[in-house]
Amino acid sequence: MVGRRRPRGVTVKSAEQVALMREAGLVVARALERLAAAVAPGVTTGQLDALAEESIRGEGAVPSFLGYHGFPATICASVGAEVVHGIPSRDRVLREGELVSIDCGAVLAGWHGDAAVTVPVGECAEELLALSAVTEQALWAGLAAVRPGGHLSDVGAAVERVVRPHGYGLLEDYTGHGIGTAMHEPPDVPNLAPRGAGRGMELVPGVVLAVEPMATLGSPDVDELDDGWTVVTRDGRQAAHWEHTVAVTPDGPWVLTALDGGAAGLRRAS
Ligand code: MG
Ligand code: MG
């Protein structure tokens, strides 16, 4: 069967280029591992940001968010009702019972990696832990759908299939994205598939995507704060956000920002 034409601007990477992206992905994976371990009540998001920059630069890479359209930091740290793009600050002290999502990007030898985790601060309410766990599960379902012969809408269909039964909100206007020598490349990778799976661009080896579901306890309606970045839920309820960079390979998905290449998470998702 003939594949569909790829949307304008989508790049297909060679195996060698994907291997370079893996190195960038590992820089991000190791930074996020350190950051997740550092999250505790009393720590500031500014301290997390400094740790992220030290980790990334220590490996000879460069933080890709810093200066991106003027973004002033290495990570996005989004706490509580903040969904994404929270700006780290020395004044923002993490408190017991909050969820913080940490989004981190690095560029190494010209290639980008991008990933995010949601981490509980100390002891969190069961309902928040469940929100984060389901969002992470949706991420892995989406990643598992990134395989040759599949189509772009398979990702959103897989994410929705996990999230919908829980009644959580799923953001529509914020999406995952292609990634390569730029952090954001075509195509957009929606977390919804209103017309079902099997639609959109065909996924062929060398396509690299950032899959990043964002889910909320209440309504999916969001606002952007006056800082021009921080996206918050309109109803003030909490949100979770998980992300990985994944390459289509002839053998299936290769999760470039997972230390194990995605083996454990993809096994759980199957
Ligand atoms: Mg990200
Ligand atoms: Mg991203």
Side-chain angles (χ1 to χ4, degrees):
M1 203 154 68
V2 179
R4 282 165 210 234
R5 238 168 65 103
R6 284 185 290 274
R8 190 185 292 271
V10 172
T11 58
V12 175
K13 283 79 174 175
S14 68
E16 292 73 22
Q17 291 172 328
V18 172
L20 290 171
M21 291 193 72
R22 170 61 167 165
E23 296 307 312
L26 284 172
V27 170
V28 173
R30 288 188 284 260
L32 281 175
E33 189 179 52
R34 290 173 188 136
L35 293 168
V39 168
V43 171
T44 70
T45 56
Q47 286 173 310
L48 295 177
D49 189 64
L51 180 60
E53 182 164 7
E54 185 185 296
S55 180
I56 290 168
R57 292 200 193 275
E59 299 203 50
V62 175
S64 45
F65 297 2
L66 190 61
Y68 181 79
H69 293 288
F71 190 77
T74 293
I75 58 169
C76 300
S78 307
V79 191
E82 298 171 356
V83 189
V84 287
H85 303 165
I87 300 174
S89 160
R90 278 172 297 184
D91 301 325
R92 183 56 171 94
V93 180
L94 295 175
R95 293 184 298 258
E96 179 101 20
E98 294 182 312
L99 285 181
V100 56
S101 97
I102 305 170
D103 193 346
C104 182
V107 57
L108 181 69
W111 294 94
H112 286 257
D114 186 7
V117 295
T118 292
V119 186
V121 183
E123 300 272 324
C124 268
E126 206 51 54
E127 115 179 304
L128 295 184
L129 296 178
L131 172 69
S132 178
V134 168
T135 310
E136 185 186 12
Q137 193 193 335
L139 166 65
W140 284 102
L143 295 168
V146 179
R147 49 175 178 256
H151 290 81
L152 192 60
S153 81
D154 298 358
V155 176
V159 167
E160 273 199 280
R161 203 176 306 126
V162 171
V163 171
R164 289 297 181 209
H166 297 272
Y168 299 141
L170 261 179
L171 268 65
E172 281 184 49
D173 293 341
Y174 294 84
T175 68
H177 49 89
I179 180 168
T181 54
M183 178 165 57
H184 290 146
E185 293 185 355
D188 292 341
V189 183
N191 292 302
L192 301 97
R195 295 163 71 212
R199 295 183 176 270
M201 184 187 88
E202 187 181 347
L203 301 176
V204 297
V207 167
V208 186
L209 305 173
V211 177
E212 46 181 321
M214 292 146 267
T216 65
L217 268 185
S219 153
D221 294 341
V222 293
D223 290 309
E224 193 181 280
L225 297 186
D226 289 339
D227 63 19
W229 286 102
T230 314
V231 176
V232 298
T233 59
R234 195 167 292 166
D235 62 12
R237 300 198 68 191
Q238 305 236 4
H241 172 220
W242 286 84
E243 177 181 22
H244 271 304
T245 298
V246 60
V248 184
T249 81
D251 304 321
W254 184 13
V255 184
L256 304 178
T257 46
L259 291 173
D260 69 351
L266 292 168
R267 203 159 45 235
R268 279 196 304 273
S270 69

